[in-house]
Amino acid sequence: MLSEQQAVINGNGSGTSVSRQNGTGSDANGNINEKGSGDGKQYTLRTEWGDGEEGVTKLGLNTWRLAALTFFTVSGGPYGLEPLVKHGGPINSLFALLLIPWVWGLPMAMMTAELAAAIPEMGGYVVWVQRTMGDTWAFQNAMWNLFSNCMDNTLYPLLFLDYIEDLVGHDFSFMTRVTVGSLLTITLALVNVVGVDVVGDGAGVFGVMVLLPFIALVLFGLFGGEMNVARWSDTIDEKSISGFVTILLWNGCGYDSAGTCAAEVENPGKTYTNAMLITITLTSFVYVLPIMVGVCYAPQYEEWDDGYFVTVGTLTAGTWLGYWMMIAGSISALGLLNSTICTTSRALASMSSYGYVPTYMSKLHPTYGTPYRAVAANAGAIILLLLTGLDFEAVAELSMW
């Protein structure tokens, strides 16, 4: 049975978020009351959200659930990493992938762990900026993140549809794309309403399904054929430093998104640190090993572009692995959508608690303790963008803007 934290909603609009602190009993105002329970600690606390109703958030994220969730906010697998080889060649790509997770990713991960432990509130970066810089800059941060989150969330149903179209060998009609994309969005939004624990478990299942074909790729590459490891040191004549750096850094960020769920994490001081380290270690292996094997079997480096792991799988083990890679790519898109709806909804609820967006979005579900109105708003924004008919590239350009 999950521990719970009671959020008593005062509704005076001053905008504090779900928070916790150590200690027993409660203060003069009844703000914090921590009690022992059979499976952890139960917290009773006050917030000042929205419309004056009570809500309960579940402490549903343990280390492994949080690690799985963070894996999809950061990576979701090595899909999209392929152009790194095209822009920098094998040796530069492998060296950078060994280094960047620890030089670039680790500081962001530890920053997230420290801030989430110090301020275990729903909203993460929204709360952090407001606490340190005030409402003016917090509002700016919130609005730009709101725009970016809407674009990013819409990328994933489009990516899923692109993979399925490649798998079946023809393009879908506009209405088919909108209908399928909307149904996927609604389904995963309902999963998010049911609870962050279900989202974490789902992320774990999606993660295993995404990683299995890459494990097969590495095993078949190492033991099923003859690897020419001399290709690891290959260089290319025409390099794109800007493209190389952009792809490298893009695939190493996203740890701060996991901080939005701090109010629902068991023992955040310990859990965040462990989950961040697990994620960094996992992404390091997931990025490096497929590239190490892939360049040995697919040395046409100029052809390494988005989706090229399907070709790498075919060249390494046969058509069956190429199709498996394609299916796993579509599953990765589902995992990304599942996790980003979760994190961006917490950010939106926090924006609502400070009055940056309408305050009714901060209301928690009376049974599941999730910001269900924020989840619904995120799902609605995705469906509206699907109705525009914009393709993946167009939405990605808007997101980068």
Side-chain angles (χ1 to χ4, degrees):
M1 180 177 176
L2 293 172
S3 301
E4 294 179 339
Q5 61 186 40
Q6 177 74 34
V8 181
I9 315 300
N10 289 334
N12 62 6
S14 62
T16 58
S17 302
V18 176
S19 59
R20 302 175 300 194
Q21 66 186 43
N22 291 329
T24 57
S26 60
D27 62 19
N29 296 320
N31 285 346
I32 302 292
N33 179 28
E34 178 183 318
K35 300 183 290 184
S37 65
D39 55 357
K41 295 179 179 179
Q42 180 174 314
Y43 299 83
T44 303
L45 50 125
R46 298 175 73 89
T47 68
E48 295 169 352
W49 277 10
D51 47 11
E53 298 188 32
E54 294 188 357
V56 175
T57 59
K58 296 179 180 179
L59 303 181
L61 289 176
N62 56 24
T63 298
W64 293 106
R65 286 171 178 162
L66 182 59
L69 182 70
T70 307
F71 173 73
F72 278 103
T73 64
V74 174
S75 169
Y79 296 104
L81 199 65
E82 300 97 325
L84 201 66
V85 176
K86 176 182 178 179
H87 293 315
I91 188 169
N92 292 326
S93 299
L94 292 172
F95 178 77
L97 290 172
L98 287 169
L99 186 65
I100 287 297
W102 304 98
V103 174
W104 170 256
L106 183 62
M108 288 192 292
M110 292 301 99
M111 176 202 73
T112 300
E114 181 178 3
L115 288 172
I119 312 174
E121 300 182 4
M122 184 178 290
Y125 49 81
V126 177
V127 179
W128 304 338
V129 175
Q130 196 280 334
R131 290 285 187 91
T132 55
M133 303 183 73
D135 284 321
T136 299
W137 289 108
F139 178 79
Q140 294 288 330
N141 171 63
M143 291 302 99
W144 285 113
N145 271 290
L146 180 61
F147 175 82
S148 177
N149 291 342
C150 288
M151 297 301 111
D152 287 345
N153 289 349
T154 308
L155 288 173
Y156 305 125
L158 292 173
L159 184 61
F160 174 86
L161 289 164
D162 287 347
Y163 271 113
I164 298 301
E165 285 177 341
D166 289 341
L167 190 63
V168 301
H170 65 83
D171 294 340
F172 297 140
S173 67
F174 169 76
M175 283 309 301
T176 300
R177 288 179 64 87
V178 170
T179 301
V180 174
S182 298
L183 288 174
L184 287 174
T185 301
I186 292 170
T187 300
L188 291 176
L190 290 174
V191 169
N192 271 268
V193 169
V194 171
V196 71
D197 52 333
V198 180
V199 173
D201 288 338
V205 173
F206 285 137
V208 171
M209 297 175 71
V210 169
L211 293 179
L212 281 176
F214 288 98
I215 294 173
L217 173 72
V218 172
L219 292 178
F220 271 89
L222 292 174
F223 305 111
E226 295 184 4
M227 285 184 58
N228 184 2
V229 296
R231 288 174 176 158
W232 293 347
S233 61
D234 284 354
T235 60
I236 59 174
D237 295 328
E238 296 183 8
K239 299 181 179 69
S240 172
I241 296 176
S242 61
F244 184 84
V245 172
T246 299
I247 293 167
L248 188 64
L249 299 185
W250 175 262
N251 282 276
C253 61
Y255 293 96
D256 58 322
S257 294
T260 61
C261 302
E264 299 160 279
V265 174
E266 300 173 0
N267 189 7
K270 180 179 180 180
T271 300
Y272 264 100
T273 300
N274 292 339
M276 296 299 109
L277 291 174
I278 290 171
T279 303
I280 290 176
T281 303
L282 178 60
T283 53
S284 296
F285 282 108
V286 168
Y287 285 168
V288 171
L289 292 179
I291 297 289
M292 290 178 67
V293 171
V295 296
C296 293
Y297 289 88
Q300 297 78 24
Y301 309 130
E302 70 281 357
E303 297 180 9
W304 280 67
D305 216 329
D306 290 328
Y308 196 69
F309 272 120
V310 174
T311 302
V312 172
T314 301
L315 294 174
T316 303
T319 304
W320 65 273
L321 186 53
Y323 279 113
W324 194 6
M325 287 284 183
M326 201 177 298
I327 294 170
S330 64
I331 295 171
S332 175
L334 296 180
L336 290 162
L337 180 60
N338 175 58
S339 296
T340 55
I341 288 177
C342 176
T343 57
T344 58
S345 295
R346 271 75 184 164
L348 182 59
S350 182
M351 295 175 200
S352 174
S353 75
Y354 287 111
Y356 304 152
V357 297
T359 55
Y360 69 85
M361 289 188 187
S362 63
K363 184 177 179 181
L364 303 180
H365 193 282
T367 301
Y368 302 118
T370 52
Y372 68 102
R373 290 181 175 177
V375 171
N378 268 330
I382 294 170
I383 293 171
L384 285 175
L385 281 168
L386 290 175
L387 286 168
T388 65
L390 293 173
D391 61 12
F392 180 88
E393 288 76 15
V395 177
E397 288 179 6
L398 286 171
S399 177
M400 292 299 292
W401 183 83

PDB file of all heavy atoms in Angstrom, residues 315-340:
ATOM      1  N   LEU A 315      21.582  -5.313 -41.174  1.00  0.00           N
ATOM      2  CA  LEU A 315      22.929  -5.681 -41.610  1.00  0.00           C
ATOM      3  C   LEU A 315      23.642  -6.572 -40.600  1.00  0.00           C
ATOM      4  O   LEU A 315      24.474  -7.400 -40.971  1.00  0.00           O
ATOM      5  CB  LEU A 315      23.760  -4.415 -41.854  1.00  0.00           C
ATOM      6  CG  LEU A 315      23.313  -3.521 -43.014  1.00  0.00           C
ATOM      7  CD1 LEU A 315      24.130  -2.233 -43.040  1.00  0.00           C
ATOM      8  CD2 LEU A 315      23.447  -4.259 -44.340  1.00  0.00           C
ATOM      9  N   THR A 316      23.299  -6.421 -39.330  1.00  0.00           N
ATOM     10  CA  THR A 316      23.986  -7.177 -38.286  1.00  0.00           C
ATOM     11  C   THR A 316      23.423  -8.580 -38.128  1.00  0.00           C
ATOM     12  O   THR A 316      24.185  -9.557 -38.022  1.00  0.00           O
ATOM     13  CB  THR A 316      23.889  -6.432 -36.942  1.00  0.00           C
ATOM     14  OG1 THR A 316      24.436  -5.125 -37.082  1.00  0.00           O
ATOM     15  CG2 THR A 316      24.650  -7.179 -35.844  1.00  0.00           C
ATOM     16  N   ALA A 317      22.103  -8.710 -38.111  1.00  0.00           N
ATOM     17  CA  ALA A 317      21.511 -10.016 -37.800  1.00  0.00           C
ATOM     18  C   ALA A 317      20.444 -10.468 -38.785  1.00  0.00           C
ATOM     19  O   ALA A 317      20.024 -11.621 -38.737  1.00  0.00           O
ATOM     20  CB  ALA A 317      20.919  -9.993 -36.394  1.00  0.00           C
ATOM     21  N   GLY A 318      19.971  -9.581 -39.642  1.00  0.00           N
ATOM     22  CA  GLY A 318      18.947  -9.979 -40.601  1.00  0.00           C
ATOM     23  C   GLY A 318      17.724  -9.086 -40.532  1.00  0.00           C
ATOM     24  O   GLY A 318      17.591  -8.218 -39.658  1.00  0.00           O
ATOM     25  N   THR A 319      16.801  -9.339 -41.452  1.00  0.00           N
ATOM     26  CA  THR A 319      15.605  -8.505 -41.567  1.00  0.00           C
ATOM     27  C   THR A 319      14.775  -8.507 -40.287  1.00  0.00           C
ATOM     28  O   THR A 319      14.177  -7.487 -39.923  1.00  0.00           O
ATOM     29  CB  THR A 319      14.741  -8.999 -42.739  1.00  0.00           C
ATOM     30  OG1 THR A 319      15.542  -9.012 -43.937  1.00  0.00           O
ATOM     31  CG2 THR A 319      13.546  -8.092 -42.949  1.00  0.00           C
ATOM     32  N   TRP A 320      14.742  -9.650 -39.619  1.00  0.00           N
ATOM     33  CA  TRP A 320      13.917  -9.758 -38.415  1.00  0.00           C
ATOM     34  C   TRP A 320      14.325  -8.728 -37.358  1.00  0.00           C
ATOM     35  O   TRP A 320      13.459  -8.148 -36.682  1.00  0.00           O
ATOM     36  CB  TRP A 320      13.991 -11.165 -37.836  1.00  0.00           C
ATOM     37  CG  TRP A 320      15.365 -11.562 -37.330  1.00  0.00           C
ATOM     38  CD1 TRP A 320      16.374 -12.118 -38.043  1.00  0.00           C
ATOM     39  CD2 TRP A 320      15.865 -11.382 -36.006  1.00  0.00           C
ATOM     40  NE1 TRP A 320      17.486 -12.321 -37.254  1.00  0.00           N
ATOM     41  CE2 TRP A 320      17.188 -11.875 -35.987  1.00  0.00           C
ATOM     42  CE3 TRP A 320      15.325 -10.869 -34.826  1.00  0.00           C
ATOM     43  CZ2 TRP A 320      17.986 -11.864 -34.844  1.00  0.00           C
ATOM     44  CZ3 TRP A 320      16.114 -10.850 -33.679  1.00  0.00           C
ATOM     45  CH2 TRP A 320      17.423 -11.346 -33.693  1.00  0.00           C
ATOM     46  N   LEU A 321      15.632  -8.493 -37.206  1.00  0.00           N
ATOM     47  CA  LEU A 321      16.076  -7.528 -36.218  1.00  0.00           C
ATOM     48  C   LEU A 321      15.777  -6.101 -36.679  1.00  0.00           C
ATOM     49  O   LEU A 321      15.472  -5.228 -35.860  1.00  0.00           O
ATOM     50  CB  LEU A 321      17.571  -7.684 -35.941  1.00  0.00           C
ATOM     51  CG  LEU A 321      18.139  -6.810 -34.818  1.00  0.00           C
ATOM     52  CD1 LEU A 321      17.353  -6.984 -33.523  1.00  0.00           C
ATOM     53  CD2 LEU A 321      19.622  -7.118 -34.575  1.00  0.00           C
ATOM     54  N   GLY A 322      15.823  -5.870 -37.990  1.00  0.00           N
ATOM     55  CA  GLY A 322      15.444  -4.562 -38.503  1.00  0.00           C
ATOM     56  C   GLY A 322      13.996  -4.232 -38.190  1.00  0.00           C
ATOM     57  O   GLY A 322      13.681  -3.112 -37.750  1.00  0.00           O
ATOM     58  N   TYR A 323      13.096  -5.205 -38.378  1.00  0.00           N
ATOM     59  CA  TYR A 323      11.690  -4.982 -38.045  1.00  0.00           C
ATOM     60  C   TYR A 323      11.500  -4.807 -36.536  1.00  0.00           C
ATOM     61  O   TYR A 323      10.680  -3.988 -36.096  1.00  0.00           O
ATOM     62  CB  TYR A 323      10.841  -6.151 -38.547  1.00  0.00           C
ATOM     63  CG  TYR A 323      10.496  -6.057 -40.013  1.00  0.00           C
ATOM     64  CD1 TYR A 323      11.010  -6.967 -40.933  1.00  0.00           C
ATOM     65  CD2 TYR A 323       9.644  -5.052 -40.482  1.00  0.00           C
ATOM     66  CE1 TYR A 323      10.696  -6.877 -42.293  1.00  0.00           C
ATOM     67  CE2 TYR A 323       9.321  -4.960 -41.830  1.00  0.00           C
ATOM     68  CZ  TYR A 323       9.848  -5.875 -42.720  1.00  0.00           C
ATOM     69  OH  TYR A 323       9.536  -5.771 -44.054  1.00  0.00           O
ATOM     70  N   TRP A 324      12.257  -5.573 -35.764  1.00  0.00           N
ATOM     71  CA  TRP A 324      12.165  -5.454 -34.306  1.00  0.00           C
ATOM     72  C   TRP A 324      12.597  -4.056 -33.857  1.00  0.00           C
ATOM     73  O   TRP A 324      11.987  -3.458 -32.985  1.00  0.00           O
ATOM     74  CB  TRP A 324      13.021  -6.532 -33.656  1.00  0.00           C
ATOM     75  CG  TRP A 324      12.754  -6.742 -32.188  1.00  0.00           C
ATOM     76  CD1 TRP A 324      11.780  -6.160 -31.434  1.00  0.00           C
ATOM     77  CD2 TRP A 324      13.483  -7.600 -31.305  1.00  0.00           C
ATOM     78  NE1 TRP A 324      11.853  -6.591 -30.138  1.00  0.00           N
ATOM     79  CE2 TRP A 324      12.885  -7.483 -30.031  1.00  0.00           C
ATOM     80  CE3 TRP A 324      14.561  -8.464 -31.472  1.00  0.00           C
ATOM     81  CZ2 TRP A 324      13.353  -8.187 -28.919  1.00  0.00           C
ATOM     82  CZ3 TRP A 324      15.025  -9.167 -30.369  1.00  0.00           C
ATOM     83  CH2 TRP A 324      14.423  -9.037 -29.115  1.00  0.00           C
ATOM     84  N   MET A 325      13.649  -3.545 -34.476  1.00  0.00           N
ATOM     85  CA  MET A 325      14.106  -2.187 -34.178  1.00  0.00           C
ATOM     86  C   MET A 325      13.006  -1.172 -34.484  1.00  0.00           C
ATOM     87  O   MET A 325      12.794  -0.199 -33.743  1.00  0.00           O
ATOM     88  CB  MET A 325      15.351  -1.856 -35.005  1.00  0.00           C
ATOM     89  CG  MET A 325      16.608  -2.543 -34.549  1.00  0.00           C
ATOM     90  SD  MET A 325      17.255  -1.760 -33.062  1.00  0.00           S
ATOM     91  CE  MET A 325      18.752  -2.722 -32.836  1.00  0.00           C
ATOM     92  N   MET A 326      12.299  -1.386 -35.584  1.00  0.00           N
ATOM     93  CA  MET A 326      11.239  -0.463 -35.977  1.00  0.00           C
ATOM     94  C   MET A 326      10.085  -0.501 -34.981  1.00  0.00           C
ATOM     95  O   MET A 326       9.556   0.547 -34.578  1.00  0.00           O
ATOM     96  CB  MET A 326      10.745  -0.828 -37.383  1.00  0.00           C
ATOM     97  CG  MET A 326      10.025   0.290 -38.103  1.00  0.00           C
ATOM     98  SD  MET A 326       9.548  -0.208 -39.782  1.00  0.00           S
ATOM     99  CE  MET A 326      11.168  -0.536 -40.512  1.00  0.00           C
ATOM    100  N   ILE A 327       9.717  -1.699 -34.569  1.00  0.00           N
ATOM    101  CA  ILE A 327       8.639  -1.836 -33.582  1.00  0.00           C
ATOM    102  C   ILE A 327       9.054  -1.205 -32.255  1.00  0.00           C
ATOM    103  O   ILE A 327       8.270  -0.490 -31.616  1.00  0.00           O
ATOM    104  CB  ILE A 327       8.278  -3.322 -33.395  1.00  0.00           C
ATOM    105  CG1 ILE A 327       7.670  -3.879 -34.678  1.00  0.00           C
ATOM    106  CG2 ILE A 327       7.322  -3.504 -32.221  1.00  0.00           C
ATOM    107  CD1 ILE A 327       7.504  -5.388 -34.670  1.00  0.00           C
ATOM    108  N   ALA A 328      10.297  -1.447 -31.839  1.00  0.00           N
ATOM    109  CA  ALA A 328      10.792  -0.871 -30.593  1.00  0.00           C
ATOM    110  C   ALA A 328      10.839   0.655 -30.673  1.00  0.00           C
ATOM    111  O   ALA A 328      10.641   1.341 -29.662  1.00  0.00           O
ATOM    112  CB  ALA A 328      12.180  -1.424 -30.260  1.00  0.00           C
ATOM    113  N   GLY A 329      11.098   1.189 -31.869  1.00  0.00           N
ATOM    114  CA  GLY A 329      11.074   2.638 -32.038  1.00  0.00           C
ATOM    115  C   GLY A 329       9.704   3.221 -31.758  1.00  0.00           C
ATOM    116  O   GLY A 329       9.572   4.282 -31.125  1.00  0.00           O
ATOM    117  N   SER A 330       8.670   2.536 -32.225  1.00  0.00           N
ATOM    118  CA  SER A 330       7.307   3.008 -31.957  1.00  0.00           C
ATOM    119  C   SER A 330       6.975   2.890 -30.469  1.00  0.00           C
ATOM    120  O   SER A 330       6.299   3.747 -29.900  1.00  0.00           O
ATOM    121  CB  SER A 330       6.296   2.212 -32.793  1.00  0.00           C
ATOM    122  OG  SER A 330       6.280   0.843 -32.424  1.00  0.00           O
ATOM    123  N   ILE A 331       7.478   1.828 -29.822  1.00  0.00           N
ATOM    124  CA  ILE A 331       7.260   1.665 -28.381  1.00  0.00           C
ATOM    125  C   ILE A 331       7.995   2.743 -27.600  1.00  0.00           C
ATOM    126  O   ILE A 331       7.498   3.270 -26.599  1.00  0.00           O
ATOM    127  CB  ILE A 331       7.705   0.263 -27.935  1.00  0.00           C
ATOM    128  CG1 ILE A 331       6.812  -0.804 -28.583  1.00  0.00           C
ATOM    129  CG2 ILE A 331       7.671   0.130 -26.406  1.00  0.00           C
ATOM    130  CD1 ILE A 331       7.287  -2.221 -28.376  1.00  0.00           C
ATOM    131  N   SER A 332       9.193   3.104 -28.068  1.00  0.00           N
ATOM    132  CA  SER A 332       9.937   4.188 -27.431  1.00  0.00           C
ATOM    133  C   SER A 332       9.132   5.482 -27.469  1.00  0.00           C
ATOM    134  O   SER A 332       9.107   6.244 -26.488  1.00  0.00           O
ATOM    135  CB  SER A 332      11.287   4.388 -28.130  1.00  0.00           C
ATOM    136  OG  SER A 332      11.977   5.497 -27.610  1.00  0.00           O
ATOM    137  N   ALA A 333       8.467   5.742 -28.585  1.00  0.00           N
ATOM    138  CA  ALA A 333       7.647   6.949 -28.698  1.00  0.00           C
ATOM    139  C   ALA A 333       6.513   6.932 -27.670  1.00  0.00           C
ATOM    140  O   ALA A 333       6.181   7.969 -27.081  1.00  0.00           O
ATOM    141  CB  ALA A 333       7.079   7.062 -30.119  1.00  0.00           C
ATOM    142  N   LEU A 334       5.912   5.763 -27.434  1.00  0.00           N
ATOM    143  CA  LEU A 334       4.865   5.645 -26.422  1.00  0.00           C
ATOM    144  C   LEU A 334       5.423   5.904 -25.028  1.00  0.00           C
ATOM    145  O   LEU A 334       4.797   6.578 -24.202  1.00  0.00           O
ATOM    146  CB  LEU A 334       4.226   4.263 -26.479  1.00  0.00           C
ATOM    147  CG  LEU A 334       3.466   3.895 -27.751  1.00  0.00           C
ATOM    148  CD1 LEU A 334       2.894   2.487 -27.639  1.00  0.00           C
ATOM    149  CD2 LEU A 334       2.359   4.909 -28.029  1.00  0.00           C
ATOM    150  N   GLY A 335       6.610   5.355 -24.755  1.00  0.00           N
ATOM    151  CA  GLY A 335       7.234   5.574 -23.457  1.00  0.00           C
ATOM    152  C   GLY A 335       7.562   7.035 -23.226  1.00  0.00           C
ATOM    153  O   GLY A 335       7.391   7.567 -22.118  1.00  0.00           O
ATOM    154  N   LEU A 336       8.048   7.702 -24.268  1.00  0.00           N
ATOM    155  CA  LEU A 336       8.344   9.123 -24.171  1.00  0.00           C
ATOM    156  C   LEU A 336       7.080   9.930 -23.903  1.00  0.00           C
ATOM    157  O   LEU A 336       7.069  10.837 -23.059  1.00  0.00           O
ATOM    158  CB  LEU A 336       9.017   9.599 -25.462  1.00  0.00           C
ATOM    159  CG  LEU A 336      10.437   9.100 -25.703  1.00  0.00           C
ATOM    160  CD1 LEU A 336      10.813   9.259 -27.185  1.00  0.00           C
ATOM    161  CD2 LEU A 336      11.435   9.850 -24.830  1.00  0.00           C
ATOM    162  N   LEU A 337       5.996   9.609 -24.606  1.00  0.00           N
ATOM    163  CA  LEU A 337       4.742  10.324 -24.414  1.00  0.00           C
ATOM    164  C   LEU A 337       4.188  10.092 -23.014  1.00  0.00           C
ATOM    165  O   LEU A 337       3.743  11.032 -22.340  1.00  0.00           O
ATOM    166  CB  LEU A 337       3.728   9.884 -25.466  1.00  0.00           C
ATOM    167  CG  LEU A 337       2.345  10.546 -25.404  1.00  0.00           C
ATOM    168  CD1 LEU A 337       2.454  12.055 -25.560  1.00  0.00           C
ATOM    169  CD2 LEU A 337       1.422   9.961 -26.476  1.00  0.00           C
ATOM    170  N   ASN A 338       4.237   8.860 -22.551  1.00  0.00           N
ATOM    171  CA  ASN A 338       3.767   8.505 -21.215  1.00  0.00           C
ATOM    172  C   ASN A 338       4.497   9.319 -20.141  1.00  0.00           C
ATOM    173  O   ASN A 338       3.879   9.899 -19.243  1.00  0.00           O
ATOM    174  CB  ASN A 338       3.991   7.013 -20.993  1.00  0.00           C
ATOM    175  CG  ASN A 338       3.638   6.560 -19.589  1.00  0.00           C
ATOM    176  OD1 ASN A 338       2.517   6.727 -19.141  1.00  0.00           O
ATOM    177  ND2 ASN A 338       4.610   5.971 -18.908  1.00  0.00           N
ATOM    178  N   SER A 339       5.808   9.407 -20.248  1.00  0.00           N
ATOM    179  CA  SER A 339       6.608  10.089 -19.230  1.00  0.00           C
ATOM    180  C   SER A 339       6.493  11.602 -19.316  1.00  0.00           C
ATOM    181  O   SER A 339       6.446  12.294 -18.288  1.00  0.00           O
ATOM    182  CB  SER A 339       8.073   9.664 -19.351  1.00  0.00           C
ATOM    183  OG  SER A 339       8.213   8.277 -19.075  1.00  0.00           O
ATOM    184  N   THR A 340       6.455  12.140 -20.535  1.00  0.00           N
ATOM    185  CA  THR A 340       6.399  13.599 -20.649  1.00  0.00           C
ATOM    186  C   THR A 340       5.030  14.147 -20.268  1.00  0.00           C
ATOM    187  O   THR A 340       4.948  15.260 -19.728  1.00  0.00           O
ATOM    188  CB  THR A 340       6.768  14.058 -22.074  1.00  0.00           C
ATOM    189  OG1 THR A 340       5.921  13.404 -23.028  1.00  0.00           O
ATOM    190  CG2 THR A 340       8.216  13.754 -22.382  1.00  0.00           C
TER     191      THR A 340
END
